[in-house]
Amino acid sequence: MRIAVSGGPYGNPYALQAFVDDARARGCERLFCLGDLGGFGADVNALWPILADNGVECVAGNYDVAIARGDTDCGCGYRDAKDNEYAQLIYDHTLATTSRDFAAWMGTLPTERRETIDGVDVHMVHGSTLALNDFWWESLPEEQHRLRTEASGAEVVLCTHSGLPWQRQVAGTLVVNVGVLGKPANDGRREAWYAILDLDGGRPTAELVPLPYDWQAQAASMRAAGLPEIFTETIETGWWTTCLEILPPRERSRGRFHLYRSTLPSGFRPADLGYPLLEELGEGWGEDASAVAVEGDRPVVPLFGTAFFPSRLWVYTNFHCNLACDYCAVASSPKAAPRTLSATDFHARVDEAVEAGFTELYVTGGEPFLHPDIVDLLDYATTRLPTVVMTNAMLLRGRRAVGLSALAGRKLTVQTSLDGATPAAHDTHRGAGSWQRTLDGIRHLVDLGLPPRVALTETPDNTREIPAVAELLAGLGLPASHFAVRPLLRRGFSQTGAEIGEETSIPELTVTADGLHWHPAGADLATSPDLYLAPAGTPLAAGKELVTERFFTARLNDGSLPRPVHCAV
């Protein structure tokens, strides 16, 4: 026998009728609905005749139980105040507009259904086998899946409630979350989803079916009923704009929106743990992506493009360096394996960055000017994105620097490091003679029309020299906004300094020859394996999704959001 099983119609008669028609056309002999007849759309009453006339067999969801009893809330199982605020808004509408006869009928529905169909033991529930409003997410740990299947013992368990379709085998049980009819699956598609099960021969198989329907009519009915535009937007775009906090990290990372706007603290500046940023230093050319992301009235924003995940991409051209600084966060030195990014790969990543929505590019190393094609790389990068190149400023003459002056009119910023007003503090960590050579490089950049930004890594040796460094740079013609102080980090060669990890730092997606990394200060695979995201060749879009998932995993560990360390300007 072939059966069709749907999740909540959520007051969407257009999708429910499409489900009936599509399932019958595919040869389904019995049709089931796993509950939540109301909950998102405007016209719950229009569902009843469709269910009755087509023999759709129903179990009750938490919504149906609540409406039948006249409860004050839906009992959906949300924990976040903002999630509950939106859930309450639509529940109040549903309770007020559902006929009492239909509500009484809902009260007659069982909250689960179990029967043997063609020799297969099938258990139908709304949330899970544990509770009516339990969210059975695909990303649950294996032991949690087993806990739910063992509570049933059936050969097939069918559920819904979470709104996201999936199927998998769990210890011999076929588990199918059939999705819902009432809204899309937070996948950018306007279709709803349901499941078809083939039970012939005692070997059950399932197919998840995307369901086209008249979503324009559903959106129009919601507007006519005066429902908030944020609900209608989900119907029209396929992306969830409410009830996000209930989503686990993996499921949340796949959507377009990840945070409520109210989560973003006012006055929170984008910053990182280790490098001064364009917007902090006052002369960035890129748009303020964090401001763009929260414009308008939409209550939700993507993580990417906010202060918690800035839209700049870091690219390591190489890891070998002419210096061996004893506090290098990525363990670069003349002896380091170069791990050079080819010009072809660099160009491809820049193009991909533009496509993926990045607004700035930071080029770093090692020493980027050891890359044989560095000027050509910067030439290409600056035609696509505002670009910052990090250098120790000692290799800016000769064949590698030919053509550098031609980039002076581009959206290019050169940034270097000066860790003291005199050679002692700087050379102690970066090598004898490096202070003077850096100063010469700064003067050369000024002469080329590329006045550099200068960062000082603060240590106990140079804290008292910071005012003198600022005065020295001013004497070279650099404005105060071109100088910033950054903390020493305990990464790479450095055994002391501030700790940086996923739990304590905002992400800065970083590309190296090894792959993708959480942050540029942890981009050396050997010394910072904990900040490694994915191997070489992984698309940036996938990297953004990984960052988002890991961000929320870290957040859920202690319930807080990471607070970046601001660089002094």
Side-chain angles (χ1 to χ4, degrees), residues 41-160:
D43 194 358
V44 179
N45 291 321
L47 303 176
W48 199 9
I50 300 173
L51 296 170
D53 293 348
N54 293 280
V56 180
E57 303 171 66
C58 297
V59 301
N62 55 278
Y63 229 87
D64 313 313
V65 170
I67 292 293
R69 295 190 307 214
D71 291 349
T72 57
D73 65 70
C74 64
C76 295
Y78 297 126
R79 298 182 299 271
D80 176 74
K82 200 69 176 175
D83 282 356
N84 277 311
E85 177 185 331
Y86 289 114
Q88 190 66 47
L89 190 155
I90 199 67
Y91 178 76
D92 290 345
H93 169 84
T94 305
L95 183 62
T97 58
T98 302
S99 76
R100 293 321 299 165
D101 287 344
F102 191 21
W105 179 83
M106 293 178 194
T108 68
L109 298 175
T111 55
E112 61 182 322
R113 185 185 190 105
R114 187 163 187 172
E115 64 176 285
T116 300
I117 306 175
D118 264 11
V120 178
D121 183 6
V122 180
H123 194 179
M124 302 182 194
V125 296
H126 177 70
S128 82
T129 55
L130 300 182
L132 186 65
N133 63 357
D134 181 38
F135 291 92
W136 198 339
W137 304 109
E138 184 180 11
S139 66
L140 286 176
E142 186 64 26
E143 63 268 20
Q144 290 296 317
H145 285 291
R146 286 177 176 268
L147 179 67
R148 287 159 175 77
T149 56
E150 290 170 359
S152 168
E155 294 171 80
V156 177
V157 179
L158 306 172
C159 63
T160 179

Side-chain angles (χ1 to χ4, degrees), residues 434-458:
S434 60
W435 181 87
Q436 186 59 56
R437 294 176 65 193
T438 298
L439 222 59
D440 292 342
I442 291 173
R443 292 188 179 99
H444 181 56
L445 285 167
V446 171
D447 292 341
L448 291 178
L450 287 164
R453 308 284 176 79
V454 180
L456 177 147
T457 301
E458 186 174 8

